[in-house]
Amino acid sequence: MTAKKRIVFCDFDGTITVNDNIVAIINHFNPPGWKEIAEKTLAQELSIMDGVGQMFRLLPTSLERDVVEFGITNASIREGFAEFLAYCKEEQIEFYVTSGGIDFFIYPILSQFGIPENHIYCNGSDFSGDQIEITWPNPCDHECSNNCGMCKTTIMRRFPADEYERIIIGDSVTDFEGAKLADTVYSRSYLTTKCRELGIAHTEYETFHDIISSMKSERSHT
Ligand code: MG
Ligand code: ZN
């Protein structure tokens, strides 16, 4: 029997980056009404797709340059991310970014890391109308009714559980469904709280160095 191939599905906002960029952008431009939408989304009263779509629709496209620039410059990368990518390469662990974030900041921020674009899944954006419109090129398949917007479980299902050890790294509401499906969960923040609530085994991390050490010790035990 051959060992399963390890594959990582890594969240972006609040995971690869230190802070949640969607929240930071909306908070910075502070359009009236965004807080209620954000709270309802986090409480899962609104789907992620509805919540994120509605929040960005509060921003006029006349702000495009400022929004894009803020989105790119505001983010800082969590410690150990480059080292983690190198570790994955070395260990032949497949690495995918699965993010509920938006293309206009994700691609520029990740460009320095040499991740192939077809290994980055996120939402799109359309600045052609009066308000910013988020587009959803990676919707839920028929097995997910969560209205994720960018559906992590849909992507995970393309890598069958009998061939892959599916590892998810995340921090918040966009990772809840993926965590239920994954073999291994690395969590921080709300995702940790949620895993406790649902009784899902998880390993907490603060930096990507923590994840590397955990993966290394896991290997040495098996
Ligand atoms: Mg996140
Ligand atoms: Zn979904």
Side-chain angles (χ1 to χ4, degrees):
M1 182 191 154
T2 48
K4 288 186 189 180
K5 192 159 173 38
R6 284 184 288 176
I7 183 166
V8 167
F9 302 96
C10 188
D11 176 53
F12 182 82
D13 278 291
T15 298
I16 294 175
T17 59
V18 175
N19 297 306
D20 193 305
N21 220 11
I22 290 185
V23 174
I25 291 169
I26 305 288
N27 184 46
H28 178 78
F29 293 94
N30 199 21
W34 77 268
K35 279 188 183 144
E36 293 88 312
I37 301 172
E39 278 161 20
K40 281 187 185 164
T41 308
L42 209 52
Q44 296 178 287
E45 288 162 31
L46 265 183
S47 74
I48 297 166
M49 186 174 173
D50 289 337
V52 172
Q54 285 178 25
M55 281 195 287
F56 276 95
R57 220 170 281 136
L58 298 173
L59 297 174
T61 48
S62 55
L63 289 174
E64 173 172 0
R65 280 186 56 171
D66 297 338
V67 169
V68 171
E69 194 191 285
F70 181 83
I72 295 167
T73 55
N74 170 64
S76 53
I77 301 293
R78 185 171 301 279
E79 226 183 282
F81 181 59
E83 290 86 346
F84 180 66
L85 287 175
Y87 176 74
C88 287
K89 205 167 248 177
E90 206 179 286
E91 294 287 312
Q92 296 179 307
I93 301 166
E94 288 191 47
F95 179 87
Y96 283 82
V97 176
T98 45
S99 165
I102 323 294
D103 59 354
F104 69 79
F105 61 80
I106 289 185
Y107 289 112
I109 293 168
L110 288 180
S111 63
Q112 57 179 306
F113 296 104
I115 304 163
E117 285 212 354
N118 63 1
H119 281 227
I120 301 174
Y121 289 96
C122 62
N123 295 313
S125 51
D126 178 1
F127 292 84
S128 65
D130 290 337
Q131 307 297 125
I132 299 176
E133 200 58 51
I134 302 305
T135 62
W136 315 96
N138 304 289
C140 301
D141 63 14
H142 62 277
E143 289 187 58
C144 182
S145 55
N146 196 49
N147 213 7
C148 302
M150 205 316 283
C151 187
K152 299 193 189 198
T153 61
T154 295
I155 292 161
M156 289 169 78
R157 273 188 283 276
R158 295 176 192 158
F159 301 90
D162 55 346
E163 289 170 43
Y164 289 91
E165 180 192 344
R166 299 181 293 193
I167 301 161
I168 192 166
I169 306 173
D171 74 306
S172 189
V173 65
T174 65
D175 306 298
F176 293 170
E177 295 304 311
K180 293 179 194 167
L181 197 62
D183 300 292
T184 306
V185 178
Y186 289 99
S187 71
R188 53 178 297 279
S189 189
Y190 289 112
L191 181 60
T192 300
T193 313
K194 194 70 179 181
C195 284
R196 283 195 190 124
E197 205 179 291
L198 298 174
I200 295 172
H202 58 282
T203 304
E204 289 184 59
Y205 68 93
E206 206 36 61
T207 72
F208 282 95
H209 296 300
D210 301 338
I211 300 175
I212 297 171
S213 332
S214 166
M215 284 185 171
K216 279 185 178 166
S217 70
E218 197 104 323
R219 284 285 120 163
S220 64
H221 293 312
T222 50

